[in-house]
């Protein structure tokens, strides 16, 4: 039976890689490999997953140097020479243990970017209808599919240099709400993303867009926010 050489991060911020030999199977994913290690070789290995089908966003890790959703990443795509794979926690987030990162600041930034929907209708009102054909809806068709996996956040150099930067996922979320016809807090949201840690800090490196497993372009959303913030400022609304 053929095997894979797998190096897995163990410990917290300080730690080291531990080597495991894992049986190779057809259609094996990176998450399958991590699960095999935890179930058959070392039950103390900490990692996170839930759905296994690319829906929940909880299984992201750094695989051979790149952030990826591991449940949908096949070994064939990433295995290097000598069947070697290196698996580490996501970058730009504190490591709790092994492959598990602390996601609090990632989601706190969604709140700082006013990532919550603010409508005015009550349960007694009729449903608000948004036409799939409307221009504003078409602009965020892909962006609303974000699963909050933090692959983009982990891949962003600006987050690495400026930990206060809101980052691509929170700004992408803000963009979807700015374009939501039912939302009533556009100006407050534009104010929230206009500061030093907001959309203008993005250097348009595109790493987030290249790496997003859902093929979202946070870079395009951030460019939209920059335009909307500038327009609001010119009109004296900010
Ligand atoms: S485009 Fe902006 S948000 Fe995306 S990775 Fe580059 S600097 Fe970060
Ligand atoms: S924008 Fe893409 S990479 Fe970033 S959190 Fe959402 S799904 Fe993940
Ligand atoms: S386990 Fe849910 S997206 Fe991978």
């Amino acid at each position: 039976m053929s095997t894979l050489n797998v190096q897995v991060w163990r410990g917290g911020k300080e730690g080291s890689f531990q080597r495991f030999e894992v049986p190779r199977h057809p259609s094996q994913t990176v998450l399958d490999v991590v699960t095999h290690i935890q179930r058959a070789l070392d039950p103390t290995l900490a990692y996170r997953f839930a759905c296994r089908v690319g829906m929940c966003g909880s299984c992201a890790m750094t695989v051979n140097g790149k952030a990826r959703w591991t449940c949908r990443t096949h070994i064939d795509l990433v295995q290097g020479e000598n069947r070697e794979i290196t698996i580490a926690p996501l970058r730009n987030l504190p490591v709790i243990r092994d492959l598990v990162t602390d996601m609090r600041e990632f989601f706190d930034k969604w709140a700082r970017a006013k990532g919550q929907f603010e409508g005015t209708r009550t349960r007694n009102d009729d449903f608000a209808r948004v036409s799939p054909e409307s221009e504003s809806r078409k602009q965020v068709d892909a962006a609303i599919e974000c699963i909050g996996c933090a692959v983009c956040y982990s891949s962003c150099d600006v987050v690495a240099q400026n930990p206060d930067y809101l980052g691509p996922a929170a700004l992408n979320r803000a963009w979807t709400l700015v374009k939501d016809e039912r939302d009533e807090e556009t100006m407050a949201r534009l104010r929230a993303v206009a500061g030093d840690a907001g959309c203008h800090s993005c250097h348009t490196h595109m790493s987030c867009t290249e790496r997003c497993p859902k093929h979202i372009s946070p870079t395009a959303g951030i460019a939209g926010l920059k335009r909307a913030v500038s327009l609001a400022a010119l009109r004296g609304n900010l």
Side-chain angles (χ1 to χ4, degrees):
M1 179 177 36
S2 67
T3 55
L4 288 163
N5 297 317
V6 189
Q7 304 276 349
V8 180
W9 183 257
R10 304 304 305 268
K13 187 179 174 196
E14 305 298 327
S16 57
F17 284 97
Q18 184 178 358
R19 187 177 169 281
F20 295 95
E21 210 163 280
V22 175
R24 181 77 169 93
H25 299 295
S27 304
Q28 195 172 19
T29 65
V30 174
L31 185 62
D32 292 336
V33 168
V34 176
T35 301
H36 175 86
I37 293 171
Q38 202 253 9
R39 293 195 181 158
L41 305 176
D42 186 344
T44 67
L45 177 67
Y47 70 113
R48 198 186 269 133
F49 75 97
C51 72
R52 305 186 75 123
V53 289
M55 297 293 290
C56 72
S58 65
C59 67
M61 301 169 200
T62 305
V63 184
N64 286 0
K66 288 185 176 161
R68 295 180 181 276
W69 53 356
T70 58
C71 70
R72 300 290 299 271
T73 300
H74 282 257
I75 292 297
D76 294 338
L77 187 74
V78 292
Q79 79 177 2
E81 285 174 24
N82 308 323
R83 295 174 182 269
E84 274 182 15
I85 297 193
T86 304
I87 307 173
L90 286 178
R91 293 195 195 102
N92 295 345
L93 288 161
V95 181
I96 298 174
R97 185 159 73 87
D98 300 341
L99 302 172
V100 177
T101 49
D102 184 343
M103 302 290 285
R104 273 179 295 187
E105 66 188 48
F106 174 74
F107 288 113
D108 284 351
K109 286 178 178 180
W110 285 46
R112 270 174 51 201
K114 286 194 73 65
Q116 20 342 43
F117 173 76
E118 303 280 358
T120 51
R121 295 196 181 206
T122 71
R123 66 179 64 194
N124 300 318
D125 295 322
D126 193 8
F127 290 113
R129 290 177 177 78
V130 177
S131 166
E133 300 308 317
S134 76
E135 215 31 63
S136 54
R137 178 61 172 75
K138 279 199 240 169
Q139 283 184 52
V140 292
D141 255 354
I144 59 174
E145 300 295 335
C146 174
I147 56 172
C149 65
V151 162
C152 55
Y153 187 87
S154 169
S155 308
C156 175
D157 290 341
V158 176
V159 174
Q161 288 154 16
N162 175 12
D164 208 31
Y165 175 48
L166 291 170
L171 291 170
N172 176 72
R173 171 67 180 161
W175 173 240
T176 63
L177 291 171
V178 165
K179 288 282 127 186
D180 191 322
E181 295 163 16
R182 304 161 302 166
D183 187 276
E184 301 290 334
E185 287 290 332
T186 298
M187 282 308 146
R189 191 163 294 108
L190 291 182
R191 274 192 285 277
V193 303
D196 284 347
C199 56
H200 292 293
S201 292
C202 170
H203 291 178
T204 324
H205 288 151
M206 304 279 289
S207 320
C208 54
T209 300
E210 282 164 22
R211 298 256 35 94
C212 174
K214 297 289 289 182
H215 306 296
I216 296 167
S217 174
T219 320
I222 294 167
L225 284 177
K226 286 178 180 174
R227 284 193 301 274
V229 165
S230 302
L231 206 58
L234 279 173
R235 289 177 178 160
N237 293 331
L238 279 191

